[in-house]
Amino acid sequence: MSGALAGISCLVTGAGGFVGHRILEMLLEEEADLREVRAADKTLSGRLLHTCERFQSKIQVKVLEGDVQDPEFLHRSCQGVDLVIHTAAIIDVTGQTSKETLMSINVHGTELLLESCIQNSVRYFIYTSSLEVVGPNTSGEPVVNGQEDLLYDSKLGFYYGESKRQAEQAVLRANGRMLQDGGSLVTCSLRPTYIFGEGSQFLQIHVDQALQNGGVFHRISKKEALANPVYVGNVAWAHVVAARAMMDPHTAKKMAGKFYYICDDTPHMSYSDLNHALGRELGLGVEDRLALPYPLLYFVASMMELVSFLLRPFIRYVPPLTRHLLTLLNTTFTFSYKKAHQDLGYTPRYSWTEAKRLTSTWIASILPQELKKK
């Protein structure tokens, strides 16, 4: 389906972020016939500006600095655009961000962007969602190779997952809405599983902690708590594939108003064992077991949350461990990309071997100089 986006103007929000930047790069590399790409972010990093400059001679690239909470900025950004890929969001798994901020940016910002699309007759909208809109729930009920028709009691214990779920619902509800020019909006949502790869802030934190721990990753998840991580390059590729599928009326009808799980062929393993798999060849190890038995860790997390609650009138204390995070890291929660393959034609572009090599090379680049010489 190469060239399916020929003549299209595309806006990518959150284009400076981990996933958004990779989507931007892949669009610029794969869709040389795009009429225009607009890269929007709240702050313009040197990396984002460099990427846009690098492709400026091949495709018209505009860099837009602004906030998804600013209706005027969104209106300007959407004028003359055919496709929006909305990745901009606050990601928070530890409770650093207030509920008000999460809802304002992740939910209200998405609603404002959808309205701008309606007013400017933007025909296509792809939303970057999260596996946390599903769970794991507060009971830690496992899922093995879940699919889109799975009935799961998503009792979410965290504001981030709730904010992403409300935003996704707004996107899917907007499918079919009449545009200013009389056409109708086509929307879909992509739900990646845990994303790893070059530039991952979470992976960088884990590497830093391992270095402080004598080159050994902390065991943050039980070996049997399986996840199916997905490489960032495959997440970006899924967005390009979804955009191409939207341009085909037959496929667009099939995918309109739906969500899809996005993963790849990375082996199912715990979060801790993923860290080890990516750092093993660099000499990084992993602890054999959790620091404490899981029930005791859960009790410690509960006490930390209680202390945070009691201190709230006086100071803001963010616990390093919460029951939600502990449940997230220690619940088997795996999904299938079968539906995305059937409806969108998505197949992972990068193998596990390639994804591991690229990510390990990046980890090596951020290691202290003395370790690189070993």
Side-chain angles (χ1 to χ4, degrees):
M1 295 184 67
S2 181
L5 303 185
I8 294 292
S9 175
C10 177
L11 167 67
V12 180
T13 70
F18 175 45
V19 175
H21 187 260
R22 196 59 179 263
I23 293 171
L24 175 69
E25 282 186 318
M26 193 159 281
L27 278 170
L28 294 171
E29 289 166 358
E30 296 295 324
E31 292 292 341
D33 295 326
L34 277 162
R35 176 165 55 85
E36 177 191 41
V37 175
R38 299 181 189 179
D41 212 310
K42 188 174 182 179
T43 53
L44 303 183
S45 65
R47 181 182 68 156
L48 175 57
L49 293 171
H50 175 70
T51 296
C52 293
E53 287 170 10
R54 191 155 53 95
F55 288 92
Q56 197 67 258
S57 60
K58 299 176 183 176
I59 301 174
Q60 184 179 352
V61 186
K62 284 184 182 175
V63 183
L64 307 171
E65 185 173 15
D67 197 316
V68 293
Q69 300 171 96
D70 180 354
E72 290 185 14
F73 169 71
L74 296 178
H75 181 72
R76 290 195 308 271
S77 300
C78 288
Q79 286 180 330
V81 166
D82 304 290
L83 163 69
V84 166
I85 298 177
H86 181 37
T87 77
I90 294 284
I91 300 172
D92 181 15
V93 296
T94 58
Q96 297 278 352
T97 312
S98 70
K99 178 183 179 181
E100 293 72 26
T101 300
L102 282 167
M103 294 299 171
S104 180
I105 294 172
N106 292 357
V107 182
H108 187 54
T110 300
E111 291 169 344
L112 288 174
L113 182 56
L114 286 165
E115 286 306 317
S116 291
C117 289
I118 300 296
Q119 296 306 314
N120 287 283
S121 299
V122 177
R123 201 162 297 272
Y124 308 102
F125 193 106
I126 298 173
Y127 178 63
T128 308
S129 188
S130 164
L131 193 61
E132 285 211 50
V133 306
V134 193
N137 59 25
T138 51
S139 304
E141 294 176 58
V143 171
V144 177
N145 290 328
Q147 297 193 32
E148 286 74 0
D149 58 359
L150 171 74
L151 294 177
Y152 183 80
D153 186 5
S154 298
K155 293 175 289 192
L156 301 179
F158 218 58
Y159 296 132
Y160 168 66
E162 184 57 37
S163 73
K164 292 294 285 185
R165 178 162 67 176
Q166 288 186 27
E168 181 185 79
Q169 287 171 345
V171 170
L172 300 184
R173 278 198 309 267
N175 182 70
R177 280 189 62 184
M178 183 174 289
L179 305 174
Q180 194 69 29
D181 67 0
S184 60
L185 181 63
V186 178
T187 71
C188 82
S189 176
L190 305 184
R191 293 181 181 175
T193 53
Y194 173 73
I195 309 171
F196 72 94
E198 312 93 284
S200 163
Q201 59 176 326
F202 299 114
L203 189 50
Q204 174 132 25
I205 290 169
H206 293 149
V207 170
D208 290 343
Q209 290 173 343
L211 295 177
Q212 293 168 8
N213 193 39
V216 179
F217 285 109
H218 289 292
R219 169 66 63 179
I220 56 174
S221 49
K222 297 176 287 189
K223 291 182 180 180
E224 62 270 24
L226 302 182
N228 59 327
V230 58
Y231 177 58
V232 65
N234 287 326
V235 176
W237 177 238
H239 283 75
V240 174
V241 169
R244 290 175 175 178
M246 276 186 164
M247 302 303 131
D248 180 332
H250 173 71
T251 316
K253 188 175 181 181
K254 190 185 297 185
M255 66 190 289
K258 294 181 181 177
F259 67 85
Y260 294 92
Y261 292 113
I262 302 299
C263 43
D264 56 21
D265 298 323
T266 299
H268 294 187
M269 64 185 99
S270 76
Y271 292 98
S272 294
D273 292 305
L274 171 68
N275 291 337
H276 187 216
L278 297 172
R280 184 188 293 117
E281 292 183 8
L282 303 173
L284 299 175
V286 65
E287 294 170 347
D288 287 335
R289 57 182 66 86
L290 296 171
L292 295 169
Y294 183 78
L296 190 53
L297 276 176
Y298 198 86
F299 174 76
V300 170
S302 301
M303 290 300 99
M304 286 183 175
E305 289 181 57
L306 178 61
V307 170
S308 175
F309 174 76
L310 293 174
L311 290 176
R312 195 170 298 165
F314 312 105
I315 60 170
R316 178 167 166 73
Y317 165 64
V318 179
L321 183 66
T322 62
R323 288 170 296 170
H324 166 77
L325 184 58
L326 195 61
T327 302
L328 180 73
L329 295 172
N330 286 280
T331 300
T332 291
F333 217 58
T334 64
F335 290 80
S336 165
Y337 64 82
K338 182 179 178 182
K339 183 73 171 170
H341 176 69
Q342 290 173 344
D343 287 7
L344 312 180
Y346 164 73
T347 300
R349 180 160 187 172
Y350 297 88
S351 67
W352 161 236
T353 302
E354 180 75 350
K356 182 168 63 169
R357 182 186 66 79
L358 291 167
T359 308
S360 296
T361 300
W362 171 73
I363 293 174
S365 75
I366 63 173
L367 290 176
Q369 205 61 38
E370 59 271 20
L371 287 178
K372 294 179 187 178
K373 294 175 184 176
K374 290 185 179 180

